Amino acid sequence: MLDDTKVSELIIDEYFKKLKSSLHLDAAIVGAGPSGLVAATLLARDGFNVAVYESKLAPGGGMWGGGMMFNEIVIQREALDILKMFNVRLKEHDNGYYTCDSVECTSALINSAVNSKVKLFNLVKVVDTVFKDDAVCGLVINWTPVEHMGLHVDPITVYSKVVMDATGHPAELANTLVRKAGVKLNTPSGGFEGERPMNAEVGERQTVENTKEIYNNFFVSGMAANGVCGGFRMGPIFGGMLLSGQKAYGLMKERIKRG
């Protein structure tokens, strides 16, 4: 006989084990798009305690929709090794272009992250950073519906050795950090530069170049990196996003080890 309350008990117990084990992290990544998922997976495979926070119901960012809801995406040759590592099937075309099914690719990234012991929290909104001793050292989180409804419900705090904004075009967390802490970022002006118009060739390169530590213990990747640093957007070409996640992994790993 199926016990309804046992079902509830199992869900509650297992979720709160996951939540409690994520109160002190090695890496906290905000945004479960391709760059965030790649970085999280590679860090977790190295044995680090990693959590990813996604405000929406479905992790994966904009990759699900391909280009204008055509669920195919383009990848350049430079990023092939990353997708091969995630067992994504690719179709080769002329001049170094490859395509893959956006649903398969997104699903593979999510599945690999969870299998690598990344703690993935969907429907959780990161509303602020924890800021101490002139460094970012954690996150302030709440339920997404609470934030959308404007309810006066206090959030809770998570500590982490490094934090990364992978929230995409708005770079929400970096914006909040500048607005509330008044810090000078590692950007050309020291402030939030804002994303520039479409230029796929330059945007792909800048996505990787702009992936960096922009403040003490605080990193940006993917389109958040271009938003913060003033890079161009690039559309449904995802090689730069994947390479950004790989670069972010290396930078965060080095920062964690330095302490």
Side-chain angles (χ1 to χ4, degrees):
M1 180 180 294
L2 183 65
D3 185 336
D4 297 313
T5 58
K6 185 63 177 178
V7 172
S8 300
E9 178 186 327
L10 289 171
I11 291 170
I12 293 167
D13 285 349
E14 290 306 309
Y15 186 88
F16 279 97
K17 284 178 188 175
K18 181 166 61 176
L19 182 61
K20 190 173 181 180
S21 70
S22 301
L23 294 179
H24 290 86
L25 295 163
D26 293 315
I29 296 173
V30 186
S35 69
L37 289 171
V38 168
T41 301
L42 297 178
L43 284 166
R45 287 179 180 178
D46 282 350
F48 294 107
N49 186 15
V50 184
V52 177
Y53 301 89
E54 171 55 54
S55 64
K56 296 181 174 62
L57 175 61
M63 188 180 275
W64 288 112
M68 212 180 79
M69 296 193 293
F70 304 150
N71 60 346
E72 291 285 330
I73 56 174
V74 175
I75 305 290
Q76 309 92 304
R77 182 180 289 114
E78 292 82 359
L80 286 187
D81 287 344
I82 299 174
L83 285 189
K84 288 177 181 177
M85 182 171 32
F86 288 89
N87 297 314
V88 175
R89 295 173 297 174
L90 294 148
K91 182 177 180 181
E92 185 173 3
H93 303 269
D94 294 336
N95 301 320
Y97 291 100
Y98 295 78
T99 57
C100 63
D101 185 287
S102 66
V103 175
E104 177 188 355
C105 188
T106 311
S107 302
L109 293 180
I110 296 168
N111 186 60
S112 294
V114 174
N115 284 340
S116 300
K117 299 185 179 178
V118 173
K119 270 80 66 119
L120 185 50
F121 296 96
N122 59 331
L123 290 174
V124 172
K125 180 74 173 178
V126 176
V127 297
D128 207 346
T129 59
V130 180
F131 192 80
K132 294 183 179 182
D133 300 322
D134 199 31
V136 175
C137 57
L139 299 175
V140 182
I141 62 174
N142 212 331
W143 301 117
T144 296
V146 167
E147 294 300 311
H148 280 185
M149 294 176 70
L151 301 177
H152 184 68
V153 177
D154 282 329
I156 63 173
T157 299
V158 172
Y159 273 34
S160 185
K161 295 174 183 175
V162 296
V163 169
M164 186 166 77
D165 184 340
T167 59
H169 299 274
E172 295 173 358
L173 198 58
N175 250 318
T176 300
L177 178 64
V178 171
R179 176 173 55 84
K180 299 189 75 173
V183 299
K184 185 175 182 179
L185 302 178
N186 178 20
T187 64
S189 71
F192 191 96
E193 304 292 331
E195 183 183 283
R196 300 182 73 183
M198 175 80 81
N199 185 327
E201 181 178 359
V202 178
E204 281 291 282
R205 185 182 73 249
Q206 290 180 334
T207 304
V208 182
E209 291 173 352
N210 292 329
T211 298
K212 58 186 176 181
E213 186 175 10
I214 60 165
Y215 200 72
N216 298 328
N217 303 338
F218 187 79
F219 296 78
V220 287
S221 73
M223 284 314 304
N226 277 357
V228 169
C229 298
F232 286 89
R233 70 181 301 166
M234 78 293 289
I237 304 170
F238 284 86
M241 303 287 283
L242 301 169
L243 291 165
S244 170
Q246 185 182 55
K247 180 182 178 182
Y249 149 69
L251 295 174
M252 288 192 288
K253 178 179 178 179
E254 181 182 345
R255 190 70 179 87
I256 294 167
K257 288 186 171 181
R258 287 206 316 265

